[in-house]
Amino acid sequence: MADLNPFSKVLQKHAGRAKERLLQNLGKADRTTDEDFDLHVKNFSKQQNAVMRLHKEFKNYYMCLRAMQAARRSLMDTVCELYEPCWDGVEQFLIKTEVSNKNFEDFCDKINCELVAPVGSYLYQFPEYTNKISKRNRKLLDYDNSRHNLQNLETMKKREETKIAKAKEQLEEARNHFEVINSELHDELPALYDSRVSFFATHLQNLFQAEAGFHRQDASLFLEMDGILDNLNQAYKKGAFAEKPKLCIEPSKNGAESKMPDPDYFLSQDNKVSEKKGQECRADSKNSEDSEIEEKKIDESKVQEDGSSVSTNESIAFSTPPTTTERNMNLEMLSEMSANEEITEEEKSENKIEMPPGVNALYQVQGTYKYAAEDVDELSFNVGDIINVVAYDDPEEQEEGWLMGIFNGKKGLFPANFTTRI
């Protein structure tokens, strides 16, 4: 029986509280009121809602900054790849882009450390005060219950002094417990409410100072990069990057490289002709007939050579007409392009995942950035993961920029700007 005493005492206390709450709600028993404390509780609830809303907005702002940082780093990497090594200021431009990426990373870390984390820590104290207020209200019910029990015993026709004395002890004990916690809350709740001014001003100052410092450094870097690009444009206008024309030697039809004629060749040919004429003049008259015959032969051979050269040139000038394969080249290229488009559509259809049975998914999204859940009601996913988007259980709880989804059998919230609809 000794072991049952604590349990029976707790059960009796809960039964007494339930009875007292019912009588008060029905108006058959009066309740102890404290208007000052009710005002403190109202201010406490108002302050808690404000801090929760501010923490949510700071967190959403930080997540958007991270997405913007990833997009900006990708843009800067592409610009650096396109900036050719032979252009002026390439080393300075690459250094400036790296410094810009580092400044953005520091800015995001500063927002997280000076805004998101401190506001989250400040928010953690509100559940503790909520529990303390609930405990104070339970102690007040115990006090009212003990007070009404004593009044009932004192108004009975047959007074039982033993029960009255015990009821007075219970009333005194309940009053002490209530006054202790009530006095603490009367001091703590107003102090907490007054701290909202310093909290609000300090954290907004941190936000604006971080923004101003980041944009000041970013603007300075962008002006320097603009100067580098302006110098590059001026150098282009002066013709620094104009390509010089080169002598192109086309290969001959038989595959051998064609060579420029040597001027000495024509001089040697002229000398040979003059020497030949001198020898003909000094020749004996007896051989004149033979020389005439030889000249005729030479002339005939030259005519034959000229005819062969003309035929060669004509064969070069007039080539064979294009074949059927060349005429069908465009048709083959068009067929290949259409086949590639069909393959792309098939790959897109294969990437989609069928909806699991029993899930009324609105549509599916694919993760474009990795996200780690920071609360128990959020989802974690990697790049490429497929998430089924479902409707909110309560439309009034829908948050801007956040979606409700199911991933790996778990239902929770996730940021919409970290995914792409498929």
Side-chain angles (χ1 to χ4, degrees):
M1 295 297 294
D3 296 335
L4 297 177
N5 287 335
F7 176 75
S8 59
K9 185 176 181 181
V10 172
L11 185 61
Q12 183 180 2
K13 183 181 293 186
H14 283 284
R17 290 173 181 172
K19 178 183 177 181
E20 184 65 24
R21 189 180 293 110
L22 178 62
L23 293 175
Q24 290 179 357
N25 293 334
L26 294 176
K28 295 183 179 182
D30 61 334
R31 70 176 69 190
T32 303
T33 58
D34 189 345
E35 295 181 357
D36 293 338
F37 184 79
D38 293 341
L39 180 61
H40 296 332
V41 173
K42 183 178 180 180
N43 293 334
F44 171 79
S45 300
K46 179 181 177 181
Q47 183 182 7
Q48 183 181 15
N49 293 332
V51 175
M52 291 176 64
R53 183 178 177 184
L54 187 62
H55 180 256
K56 175 185 174 182
E57 295 300 331
F58 277 156
K59 187 178 177 181
N60 189 33
Y61 179 68
Y62 171 70
M63 301 305 298
C64 292
L65 282 179
R66 283 297 185 186
M68 182 63 186
Q69 179 199 5
R72 179 169 169 176
R73 177 175 287 276
S74 178
L75 173 62
M76 288 299 180
D77 291 343
T78 302
V79 171
C80 291
E81 291 177 2
L82 298 179
Y83 204 108
E84 298 184 8
C86 60
W87 291 353
D88 295 344
V90 59
E91 294 182 358
Q92 296 179 358
F93 189 84
L94 296 179
I95 292 174
K96 299 300 180 184
T97 55
E98 186 62 30
V99 173
S100 177
N101 291 334
K102 184 66 170 58
N103 288 342
F104 211 131
E105 177 71 24
D106 295 341
F107 174 61
C108 292
D109 292 340
K110 196 169 186 179
I111 292 296
N112 185 37
C113 295
E114 297 184 1
L115 290 177
V116 180
V119 175
S121 300
Y122 187 82
L123 188 61
Y124 287 152
Q125 61 183 332
F126 285 91
E128 180 181 353
Y129 282 108
T130 301
N131 295 332
K132 198 169 185 179
I133 292 172
S134 299
K135 183 178 180 180
R136 180 258 181 194
N137 293 334
R138 292 194 298 269
K139 296 300 180 183
L140 180 59
L141 278 175
D142 294 340
Y143 170 73
D144 287 340
N145 186 31
S146 299
R147 181 167 57 84
H148 291 149
N149 288 337
L150 179 61
Q151 290 176 358
N152 292 333
L153 291 174
E154 289 178 346
T155 56
M156 291 178 64
K157 295 181 179 180
K158 185 179 180 181
R159 292 174 59 88
E160 298 182 2
E161 298 297 334
T162 305
K163 292 183 178 181
I164 293 175
K166 186 177 181 180
K168 288 182 179 180
E169 293 179 0
Q170 292 177 351
L171 176 62
E172 188 67 22
E173 182 181 359
R175 180 189 291 111
N176 292 335
H177 288 306
F178 169 73
E179 288 181 352
V180 169
I181 192 171
N182 187 61
S183 177
E184 292 178 356
L185 288 175
H186 268 282
D187 295 337
E188 293 173 357
L189 291 181
L192 178 64
Y193 186 68
D194 292 340
S195 68
R196 73 192 189 282
V197 180
S198 176
F199 167 80
F200 185 79
T202 301
H203 289 84
L204 286 186
Q205 275 185 324
N206 293 338
L207 172 63
F208 297 144
Q209 289 175 2
E211 288 275 3
F214 167 69
H215 291 297
R216 191 184 305 113
Q217 295 176 354
D218 230 25
S220 177
L221 284 173
F222 285 161
L223 288 175
E224 294 176 1
M225 295 168 71
D226 178 70
I228 294 173
L229 295 175
D230 185 63
N231 294 335
L232 177 63
N233 197 20
Q234 294 298 329
Y236 164 73
K237 292 180 180 179
K238 294 178 181 179
F241 304 103
E243 295 185 359
K244 297 180 180 180
K246 297 180 180 179
L247 181 61
C248 298
I249 302 175
E250 297 180 355
S252 61
K253 295 294 183 179
N254 56 5
E257 294 183 356
S258 61
K259 298 182 179 179
M260 294 297 292
D262 189 0
D264 295 337
Y265 172 78
F266 298 101
L267 294 176
S268 62
Q269 293 296 329
D270 293 339
N271 292 334
K272 290 180 181 180
V273 172
S274 62
E275 289 178 359
K276 185 174 182 181
K277 288 182 179 180
Q279 290 177 1
E280 290 177 355
C281 293
R282 291 191 298 270
D284 192 15
S285 61
K286 293 181 180 180
N287 297 328
S288 60
E289 295 179 358
D290 296 334
S291 63
E292 290 176 358
I293 294 172
E294 291 177 357
E295 288 178 357
K296 290 180 180 180
K297 293 180 178 180
I298 292 172
D299 293 335
E300 291 176 356
S301 64
K302 289 183 177 180
V303 171
Q304 293 177 356
E305 290 176 359
D306 293 336
S308 65
S309 64
V310 170
S311 64
T312 305
N313 292 332
E314 291 176 353
S315 65
I316 294 173
F318 298 97
S319 60
T320 58
T323 61
T324 305
T325 305
E326 294 174 346
R327 287 195 298 269
N328 294 334
M329 184 67 69
N330 292 334
L331 294 176
E332 293 179 358
M333 293 176 63
L334 290 175
S335 63
E336 290 177 359
M337 292 173 62
S338 62
N340 290 334
E341 291 177 356
E342 293 176 358
I343 293 173
T344 303
E345 293 297 331
E346 291 177 0
E347 290 177 352
K348 289 183 179 179
S349 63
E350 290 177 356
N351 288 335
K352 291 186 177 181
I353 297 177
E354 296 183 355
M355 300 292 182
V359 177
N360 295 326
L362 303 177
Y363 54 90
Q364 291 181 328
V365 295
Q366 186 174 18
T368 53
Y369 304 100
K370 182 179 180 180
Y371 178 72
E374 298 186 1
D375 290 332
V376 294
D377 60 343
E378 296 181 4
L379 296 178
S380 298
F381 55 86
N382 296 319
V383 177
D385 290 341
I386 305 298
I387 305 172
N388 294 317
V389 179
V390 297
Y392 278 75
D393 296 335
D394 187 359
E396 296 182 357
E397 296 180 357
Q398 185 170 358
E399 302 178 0
E400 183 178 358
W402 291 79
L403 297 175
M404 178 69 70
I406 297 178
F407 177 62
N408 287 339
K410 180 181 178 182
K411 182 176 181 182
L413 298 171
F414 63 93
N417 53 9
F418 273 57
T419 60
T420 303
R421 182 169 179 173
I422 59 176

